[in-house]
Structure formats: structure tokens, C-alpha cells
Amino acid sequence: MQKFIEFIANSQAIFIKTIMVAIFMVMGWIGGLKAFQYEADGIVPFVSNSPLMSFFYHNSDNIVIDDKGNSVLEYNLYKNPEGKVIQHHIDWHTQNGTYVFSYALGIVIISIGVSVLLGIWFAKIGFIGGLLTFGMSLVTLSFLITTPEVYVANLGGDFPSPQHGFPYLSGAGRLVLKDVIMMAAGLIVASFCAKRIIAKDAK
């Protein structure tokens, strides 16, 4: 057991590089999916409600009346469930700028992932990638404040339920919360690369 503990203790650098590969895998996969319609549609509630990004959409501030007489943001009328293609909805998203923004975001995310991976060999690039990962995660976590869909909605039913709103995270909210881990990982990568930069400069 002692040897195992010593092995774990002495393998920190290897494990940090494993984190860097993991960040690349997540960023590459998710960033790549931004090129597909269902993923682009899926991020609309986050972007539309974000004061940092809503200006990228053309219809993000439009308030309309739904079939129940409620005032809602326009995107609520054009949601495409994953795996379902509704051309009328896709046309709206095209006009909204949903897909152009998603393509650009995907390129940014993939670029961050690649920079983190390159940090295994090039510390300065990895340092920047780690900081960008931290910053991107902060933006994502801000959705917990700005996006109503991250909490369970009050849809009613046979019995009244108090289990809606904060702190009851929806599926989307649980995915967003996981970025706390990505945020911490970005800082670990940045610190790891910074130490290598300092050590190199000291020679």
C-alpha cells in the first residue's frame, strides 16, 4: 500500500497531462457538435438569456405570446427536441443567426481544447489554454443565474409540487454545474504550465 501511495504521489505530472488530454477530448467533441443542427438549437436558451452573448442573435430580445397566453422570449416557440427536425423551426433559427453563432463557438471551443493539449509540449500555449478554459467555464456557470431552463419548471400536474425553481437543477442545469470541474481543471493546467515556464526561464 505504501508503494502505491508513493506511486500516486510521484505521478502528479502524468495525471495533470491526463487532465489536459481529457479537456481536449471534451472540448473537441462538444465543439465539433456545434456544427450540427440539434446542438446549435440546444444552446439557444443559454445564449438568448445571457447578457454576455444575446447580442449575437437577431431575435433574442423578441417577446411573444405563446398558445397559453403567456409572454415568452420568441425562441420558446421554435424549440426542436433532440432528434426531431421541424423545418419551420430550422428556418427561424437560420434567420436568428443560431447556426452561424454555433459554428463560430465550436471553432473557439475546439481551439481552446487544442491549445490545452499542445500545452503538454509547449508550456506557454498550455498556460493560455488553461486560462481560457477557466474563463470559458466561468461564462458557462453564469448560465445558472441567467437561464431559467437550468431549473425545474413548474408544469403543474395532479398534485402541487414545490420541487421547481432553485435549487432544483434540470438536466441542462446539471450539465452546466459540471463546469465547476472544468474551471478547476483549467486553473490546474495553467499553474502546471506556469511552473514549467518559470523553470525554463530560470535556466
Side-chain angles (χ1 to χ4, degrees):
M1 177 59 74
Q2 183 63 30
K3 289 185 177 180
F4 177 71
I5 292 174
E6 290 176 358
F7 168 76
I8 296 296
N10 295 328
S11 300
Q12 187 178 67
I14 296 174
F15 296 153
I16 292 176
K17 290 178 181 179
T18 302
I19 289 175
M20 297 166 82
V21 173
I23 290 175
F24 167 72
M25 288 178 62
V26 171
M27 297 285 202
W29 198 332
I30 292 178
L33 288 176
K34 294 292 185 287
F36 296 90
Q37 168 261 321
Y38 88 95
E39 174 68 12
D41 293 352
I43 66 173
V44 168
F46 301 110
V47 178
S48 292
N49 288 285
S50 172
L52 300 175
M53 292 186 288
S54 60
F55 62 89
F56 286 111
Y57 287 164
H58 303 305
N59 301 323
S60 62
D61 296 330
N62 293 351
I63 303 296
V64 297
I65 305 300
D66 64 13
D67 55 4
K68 296 181 180 178
N70 299 316
S71 297
V72 297
L73 287 173
E74 188 172 357
Y75 73 81
N76 285 281
L77 304 183
Y78 299 95
K79 289 182 178 179
N80 281 321
E82 291 183 0
K84 188 173 185 179
V85 178
I86 303 174
Q87 187 59 50
H88 174 60
H89 291 185
I90 291 175
D91 293 341
W92 182 89
H93 283 289
T94 300
Q95 193 279 327
N96 183 50
T98 298
Y99 304 120
V100 172
F101 172 77
S102 187
Y103 301 152
L105 179 61
I107 292 172
V108 170
I109 293 173
I110 292 172
S111 298
I112 294 174
V114 170
S115 68
V116 171
L117 182 67
L118 289 175
I120 294 175
W121 302 280
F122 308 101
K124 290 183 179 179
I125 296 176
F127 176 71
I128 295 171
L131 292 180
L132 289 174
T133 299
F134 171 78
M136 190 190 76
S137 299
L138 276 181
V139 173
T140 301
L141 288 169
S142 73
F143 297 151
L144 292 173
I145 300 172
T146 61
T147 309
E149 283 85 351
V150 300
Y151 298 104
V152 175
N154 184 11
L155 300 179
D158 295 333
F159 305 99
S161 172
Q163 296 178 3
H164 65 272
F166 181 86
Y168 303 104
L169 292 169
S170 66
R174 294 192 291 274
L175 288 175
V176 168
L177 185 62
K178 291 178 182 178
D179 258 53
V180 171
I181 300 171
M182 187 70 80
M183 181 177 67
L187 289 178
I188 290 171
V189 168
S191 176
F192 175 68
C193 291
K195 284 185 177 180
R196 291 161 56 204
I197 294 171
I198 292 171
K200 184 178 181 180
D201 291 343
K203 291 180 179 179

